[in-house]
Every structure is written in structure tokens, then in C-alpha cells.
Amino acid sequence: MKNLWNDADAGKLGNDLLKLRVYTSRLLGQEEDLVLHGGGNTSVKTKEFNIFGEEEEIIYVKGSGWDLATIEAAGFAPVKLKALRQMAELNHLTDVEMVKYQRMAMTNPSAPNPSVEAILHAIIPYTFVDHTHADAVVTISNTPNGKERIQELYGDNMLIVSYVMPGFELAKEIYKLTRDLDWNKIEGMILLHHGVFTFHDDAKVSYENMIKTVTKAEEYLKREVANELKGTVKGKVAPLKLAQLRQSVSKLLGKPILIQHDNSEFSTAFSNLPNLATIVNRGPLTPDHIIRTKRTPVVLSGDHEEDMLAYTKAYKNYFDEFNTGDLVQLDPAPRWAVWPGHGALSFGTTVKNNNIIGDITRHTMKAISQAEQLGGWDTLSKWDLFEMEYWILEQEKLKKDKASKAMQGKIAMVTGAASGIGKACVERLVDMGAVVAALDINPSINKCFSKSEVLGVECDVTNTEQLKLSVDKSIAYFGGLDMLITNAGIFPKSLSIGEMDEDTWNKSMDINVTSHQQLIKLCLPYLTLGIDPAIVIIGSKNVPAPGPGAAAYSVAKAGLTQLGRIAALELGESGIRVNIIHPNAVYDTGIWTDEVLKARADHYGLTVEEYKTNNVLKVEVTSKDVAELAVAMLGPTFSKTTGAQVPIDGGNERII
Ligand code: ZN
């Protein structure tokens, strides 16, 4: 474990204890092998004057919901130290009461709730307290003779504490264990199956003791684990299998999920371990992971329906076995899977969730493969894990994740996505919580959207081979498809029928009709497995109200509209809705430069403003307006509408 302390950086902070606390907290937070996504916590004790001029001892403890990697001073909750120490002396305190009284003892009511381990921090008589869930230490402790190994490794330097549920019970246990302890004799504490505490009056020493302690465990593993698990091949999964799997898990969870496939050589090798089903059934790396990953992953075989049934049944049995009577069973959906020969898969409702699950499970798989060489992966009992999973304070943490958006977990595809209506559709879908595969022939599509919710795919939609690869790539990336906005199109130069050349005609047919038919065909197997699947076709006002000189365009768009109507008839029984939008006069797109607009307006003897709003309502129609309608048509408002054609043109007398 690398010591990241830098004298120059720390020197700039002077003697400001809270700033130093932020600094070393971030050093810890940067190391994934120390803490992951909100794991671990830190504190600093200081003295402050209250408004009455009285000096009080205050402990700043990491606030719930903050991540050590990015924490700021505002992420620490200031709590009166005396109150926390008095709480440690109580014989009994429920966790809900603990949270309430901790909050009451805070000197800043707008600060976040202090960590559930705040009382424990308070009873450690040093200025700085650092706590991590270091992989290496927990891995050694998660073996059949883990306690002996830890004792042998650290001798009397560390206080070794058997597992106790975090919160008041753990604080109480440490309080009892340390009442008669000479703190000078230890450098820290190892909590078996949980993590490490180090402490000191000097921020640097406390941090460095953590690094030293963890390095010792890492070196031990290096010595004792002879053959690190390494793979040579990357797992592969057919896109259709992923979409089927997504449908099954989404049904169990009761909401749509995204799949992230970890097919690294390591994960694939892990998935091929002969005793896979038994080892992954023993439990997670640390108990706090359970709210993200559940106790176990689903191990997939050839038949996913069977796998899910078995998983659900096992989860129900586990719940029934430990439920004390008044708990309600949580959803039985797995949060991740291991698939022999294919690697690991995360099932989160957002990209962020999947990243968290993916990080946690990668660390877990590594720990399991190491512990197996130390005599076997041996985690906490099912009861301890159940207690953690159903602990009200852990479930509260999940609720703090951002309130879910209407299209959270849903997967869309948009073509012609680099500009104009297509781009606006992608942005609107992301605003609504969906993830989007954004296809465009323009290579800039790869950089068009800087969000992890969007996959830019460069694709010529008239090239069927490229289109197939792009669809497969999108499915493999997000795990399925629910919504398609088929938008790519061109507006050919104006030619009368007599002047029409073959090239202009054919090109318009290829892009404006045929490519859409190909795309819908390629997406159908996935949409059939989608959640409330729907297609929106971007047509044109030229369909109901054609103009002279635009035969190549209008005929193609009329064909596209007819394709949509037939698709609505054919796909109804699969529950796939198909609706068509006819926009007109959308001028905020690439082709309508200021010069072109001015020229067209002059042609009709209008100002640009008059030209733009030349419709019944006298309003300008923007790409954003069209996108809002398109996305609404993919959503619940239009859940009982299919085969419809809706104009968005400010009202056109020829159509009305
Ligand atoms: Zn902890």
C-alpha cells in the first residue's frame, strides 16, 4: 500500500485540524483497496467556543452519504464529544435512538448525520481516528483460522476484536474492551470480518499507521498466496442472452435494470473455478457490501429461468429462517451474477449503481480467490449478514440515492443522434433517466455526449453489416433495448420529377426508408424482450402535405410512415407500440444556417422571424420541442396508443 502523504501539500494546511482531516481522508479514499464507495470513516477531535463563550470538545465525524475520496469539510458532522462518550456508557440504545441523539448533540443542525460508528470514534482517546475496510486485512480474517493468522501477523501491536454488528453494539463492545487498556501499547484495532482502525494525535502518524498495517497484510498475502488467479481469455455473451437475462432480473426487481458485463480475463477465470457455486454462496467481503450486492450472486447455467427460480427460492428460505416476525421481505432479485466461462455481470438500475456493484464484486472475487488458498473463503454467518442486510440504518442509506427518474433503468437507441432532433432526443432521454445508444455517421458522435449514460456509436445506417454490429454493440453495453427513436434522414436537393436523377432518388430511399426497416428488423428481437417497448419514427409534414420539388424526400417519408403503420399492426401482439411524428419547420438544425434561413425568408418576402413562425399558432418549433414529444410518446402517457401520427408544426392549415 503506497504512502501518499506529501509534506509540501500537508504543510500548506498549517495546524488546521479539520483541513488535515480532509486531506488524509482523501488520501485513504483514493485507494480502492482501502475503501470502496462510501466505506470507511474518519474523525478529528478539536475544541471550540460555543455562543455562550464556553469551550467545548467537538468531534468532527465523517457524515453519512459522503465518500472519503471526495469529502470536504462540509462532509464532517460536528458532534459534542461529551454526549457521544456518555452514550457509550448506556446499557442499551436502539440504533434509531442512537441516530436521533447523535443528531441532537450536533453543533451544526445542517450538517449530515454522523457515521454510525461515531460513538466508537469518540471513545478512542486520540485526535485523529482513521477507519478503513482494507481488502487485504479482511481477506485474511475471512478464512477458517483468520483470527490466528491476524494475531500471528500483528502480535500485541493491535487490539483484535471479534465481529460485532456496527453501530451502538460495536461501540459498546469496544468501550468494554478498552476501559482498562493502556492505549499507548497499541497502534490500532483489527475488527475481524470488518476492517482496521488506527489513531494518533498527529494526522500523519495515524494515516501512516493505517498504511503500515495494511501493507503488512498485503505482504503476507503475497507470501502465502502462491498462485494469483489469472486468466487468458475474455468471456463473451450473446447480446440476445443478455437481453433475456435483463428481462428476468427486471421482473424480479419490479423495475428495469441495466447490465454491465465484466468479461475481463480475471473475472472469466474466476467464473471457471470448479467450486464456484459453493464459494460464492458463503457471503460478501465485508458486511456493508450486502446492501449493494445481496449476500450472494446468482450463478448462471444454461437456463436462466431455472437459475432465477432457484435464487428466489433460496432468498425466501434465508429470509424465513432469520425473520424475527415483523420484517418485510426485500425484493428477491440478485444484484450480480457469475456465469461460468463468461465472467461476472452487475444488475444495477443506473450506470452509477452498476459501477459500484462492479467495483465491489471485482474486489470480492479477488479476495475469494486469495482466501481459497489460505484454507478457504469463510465469511460471517448468515445470521450476521441477515442482520446487516435488514438493518434499518443500512436500508436508509439506499434511500439517500437520488430519487429515481421516470425512465431510470430504461435503454433507448436514437439514430442521427449527433445533431438536431436526434441530439435533442438523446438529451431528453438522459434527463428522464434513461441510457442511450446514440448512432450517427458523423465520427464526432464519439465525443458528442460526455455522459456515461450515453454510448456514442459511429454508424452508417445504410450499411446493414455496420448497423447490425452497432445494434449488437449497444445491447452488449447496456444489456437490452426498450425504446427506439428512428430518426436518421437526409433532405435531398430540390428536383422536379422530370429532373430527378437516379442517384438522388435512390439515396433518399436508402436512408429515409430502407435503413429504418433494417434497423427495426435488427432491433425487434431485443425490443420483444424490452420493458414497455416502443418505437417512435420521425416522419415529416411532407407526408400529409407534400410540396412540389421534393418527390425524393416526400415519397420516402410517406413510405416510412406506411412502414410505421404496418409495424404498429404487426408488433401489437408483442406489446411494442409504434407511433409517428411529423415535424415541420424545425430550423435549429445544422442545415439551417443564418444565410439559408435569410435566403428562404427573402424568397417568401418575410422576415426571418415571420418565416420561422409561419404557422397557425405563430410559434417557433425547435428540436427540443420535437424531442419532448418523441420521448413522451415512448412513455406511459402514450401507453395505449399505437399507429398514431402526430404533427408538431405549430398548426398547418393544409393539414388541419
Ligand atoms: Zn466500518
Side-chain angles (χ1 to χ4, degrees):
M1 181 58 54
K2 223 174 133 192
N3 182 344
L4 302 173
W5 177 276
N6 178 307
D7 278 329
D9 290 346
K12 285 178 209 148
L13 308 173
N15 274 333
D16 189 319
L17 296 180
L18 187 55
K19 280 187 182 159
L20 281 164
R21 180 66 283 172
V22 171
Y23 173 65
T24 54
S25 300
R26 286 185 175 194
L27 296 186
L28 295 171
Q30 279 172 44
E31 288 287 357
E32 280 194 7
D33 291 342
L34 287 178
V35 293
L36 267 181
H37 300 294
N41 41 60
T42 56
S43 67
V44 61
K45 299 180 187 77
T46 179
K47 284 180 180 159
E48 286 176 1
F49 286 98
N50 65 21
I51 54 163
F52 309 110
E54 300 154 349
E55 195 177 49
E56 286 178 320
E57 282 188 293
I58 304 293
I59 178 170
Y60 281 82
V61 191
K62 192 202 101 162
S64 186
W66 284 77
D67 202 303
L68 287 183
T70 50
I71 198 159
E72 295 162 20
F76 286 89
V79 195
K80 290 177 190 166
L81 189 60
K82 195 177 157 202
L84 289 181
R85 286 187 172 156
Q86 276 179 325
M87 282 159 79
E89 288 168 24
L90 294 173
N91 283 324
H92 183 75
L93 188 66
T94 68
D95 290 310
V96 174
E97 283 169 336
M98 177 183 81
V99 170
K100 183 173 128 190
Y101 288 110
Q102 279 178 358
R103 224 181 143 75
M104 283 164 66
M106 280 164 51
T107 59
N108 175 3
S110 54
N113 275 342
S115 152
V116 295
E117 280 156 346
I119 301 176
L120 174 45
H121 281 256
I123 58 181
I124 297 174
Y126 290 95
T127 309
F128 289 90
V129 177
D130 294 26
H131 169 48
T132 71
H133 298 165
D135 283 3
V137 178
V138 183
T139 301
I140 297 170
S141 115
N142 282 0
T143 56
N145 46 357
K147 189 172 183 179
E148 292 72 41
R149 286 179 192 270
I150 294 279
Q151 256 157 355
E152 183 194 312
L153 190 59
Y154 294 104
D156 295 332
N157 248 347
M158 288 275 162
L159 178 70
I160 295 159
V161 185
S162 295
Y163 179 80
V164 176
M165 170 104 160
F168 182 71
E169 288 304 315
L170 176 60
K172 189 80 204 157
E173 177 71 12
I174 305 281
Y175 178 71
K176 279 190 211 151
L177 284 174
T178 57
R179 241 181 321 194
D180 305 314
L181 176 86
D182 179 359
W183 285 91
N184 290 319
K185 290 197 173 140
I186 56 166
E187 277 182 4
M189 294 189 282
I190 308 271
L191 311 185
L192 296 173
H193 303 292
H194 177 167
V196 185
F197 273 87
T198 56
F199 31 76
H200 203 275
D201 287 333
D202 184 331
K204 184 179 179 185
V205 179
S206 183
Y207 168 75
E208 287 184 340
N209 280 347
M210 177 64 73
I211 300 302
K212 206 169 80 184
T213 306
V214 176
T215 304
K216 216 170 189 179
E218 287 179 338
E219 283 169 355
Y220 179 86
L221 284 175
K222 236 183 203 166
R223 280 198 307 275
E224 299 292 319
V225 177
N227 307 305
E228 287 247 357
L229 184 63
K230 279 197 188 90
T232 49
V233 285
K234 284 185 165 191
K236 275 198 183 119
V237 178
L240 198 65
K241 282 275 178 194
L242 274 188
Q244 284 164 343
L245 189 58
R246 172 174 179 262
Q247 190 189 39
S248 314
V249 179
S250 299
K251 269 187 196 160
L252 283 182
L253 187 65
K255 44 188 167 183
I257 56 131
L258 312 171
I259 297 185
Q260 205 173 70
H261 181 197
D262 172 6
N263 70 340
S264 64
E265 282 141 357
F266 170 79
S267 300
T268 311
F270 182 87
S271 75
N272 280 326
L273 288 174
N275 54 346
L276 178 73
T278 10
I279 50 176
V280 295
N281 200 25
R282 293 181 201 148
L285 179 55
T286 64
D288 62 320
H289 289 169
I290 202 162
I291 54 164
R292 299 286 184 190
T293 62
K294 282 216 187 281
R295 197 182 69 83
T296 60
V298 59
V299 177
L300 296 172
S301 65
D303 187 340
H304 295 157
E305 294 291 323
E306 280 293 314
D307 300 334
M308 292 303 157
L309 271 176
Y311 188 88
T312 314
K313 214 173 135 201
Y315 188 78
K316 189 179 180 303
N317 289 342
Y318 152 82
F319 177 79
D320 289 343
E321 190 180 345
F322 299 111
N323 178 21
T324 47
D326 53 354
L327 292 169
V328 178
Q329 192 197 296
L330 298 167
D331 73 82
R335 299 301 190 267
W336 68 299
V338 191
W339 192 349
H342 303 276
L345 304 116
S346 309
F347 307 138
T349 52
T350 61
V351 174
K352 192 180 159 210
N353 271 341
N354 262 344
N355 289 339
I356 293 175
I357 296 170
D359 286 344
I360 290 176
T361 55
R362 228 177 2 266
H363 283 255
T364 308
M365 289 188 284
K366 187 177 170 200
I368 293 178
S369 68
Q370 289 176 327
E372 277 295 285
Q373 294 200 40
L374 295 180
W377 178 245
D378 187 21
T379 66
L380 285 173
S381 71
K382 276 188 188 178
W383 160 247
D384 285 318
L385 291 164
F386 179 85
E387 209 184 8
M388 192 70 177
E389 183 175 356
Y390 281 83
W391 189 22
I392 184 165
L393 300 187
E394 284 294 292
Q395 289 300 325
E396 289 290 323
K397 279 188 196 169
L398 286 182
K399 287 185 196 149
K400 279 187 192 139
D401 282 355
K402 271 189 193 151
S404 78
K405 295 180 176 174
M407 287 186 170
Q408 183 173 295
K410 296 199 75 178
I411 306 170
M413 180 180 289
V414 178
T415 63
S419 61
I421 292 171
K423 190 173 182 215
C425 285
V426 175
E427 283 161 354
R428 179 69 185 157
L429 283 161
V430 172
D431 277 351
M432 297 290 285
V435 296
V436 191
L439 276 58
D440 203 290
I441 194 168
N442 190 332
S444 74
I445 191 69
N446 294 313
K447 292 180 192 147
C448 224
F449 307 94
S450 53
K451 291 194 160 123
S452 56
E453 284 77 16
V454 182
L455 173 72
V457 185
E458 187 185 337
C459 173
D460 174 357
V461 290
T462 61
N463 179 328
T464 310
E465 194 47 39
Q466 258 188 47
L467 195 60
K468 184 181 183 315
L469 288 173
S470 302
V471 170
D472 285 356
K473 185 180 173 182
S474 308
I475 305 299
Y477 194 78
F478 290 123
L481 185 66
D482 308 310
M483 307 182 284
L484 173 64
I485 297 181
T486 180
N487 163 67
I490 50 160
F491 192 81
K493 60 180 181 239
S494 185
L495 290 170
S496 68
I497 295 169
E499 299 164 328
M500 185 68 63
D501 60 89
E502 219 175 302
D503 201 41
T504 304
W505 181 263
N506 288 343
K507 208 170 169 197
S508 179
M509 295 303 148
D510 281 352
I511 297 179
N512 291 330
V513 198
T514 310
S515 79
H516 295 259
Q517 179 269 324
Q518 291 290 331
L519 177 65
I520 293 173
K521 179 182 170 183
L522 288 168
C523 288
L524 270 190
Y526 305 114
L527 286 168
T528 308
L529 296 164
I531 318 290
D532 186 23
I535 299 173
V536 165
I537 291 172
I538 307 298
S540 164
K541 153 259 168 190
N542 278 37
V543 176
Y553 182 72
S554 304
V555 171
K557 284 286 187 183
L560 175 61
T561 302
Q562 198 71 342
L563 177 77
R565 298 172 73 200
I566 293 165
L569 291 170
E570 288 183 0
L571 306 182
E573 65 177 342
S574 308
I576 303 171
R577 295 177 286 115
V578 186
N579 291 297
I580 303 141
I581 293 181
H582 293 315
N584 187 34
V586 179
Y587 296 120
D588 61 342
T589 63
I591 38 172
W592 290 95
T593 59
D594 288 348
E595 294 86 72
V596 177
L597 262 176
K598 176 102 183 37
R600 296 311 297 163
D602 287 348
H603 179 80
Y604 291 102
L606 299 169
T607 65
V608 170
E609 190 52 30
E610 283 166 344
Y611 180 70
K612 276 186 178 174
T613 57
N614 191 16
N615 52 47
V616 172
L617 293 172
K618 301 285 174 223
V619 291
E620 186 184 342
V621 181
T622 65
S623 298
K624 219 176 144 197
D625 298 324
V626 180
E628 254 177 60
L629 177 62
V631 173
M633 290 181 101
L634 294 170
T637 313
F638 285 79
S639 65
K640 292 173 185 175
T641 301
T642 193
Q645 299 177 48
V646 180
I648 172 156
D649 53 13
N652 182 305
E653 279 169 15
R654 285 180 61 206
I655 298 170
I656 294 172

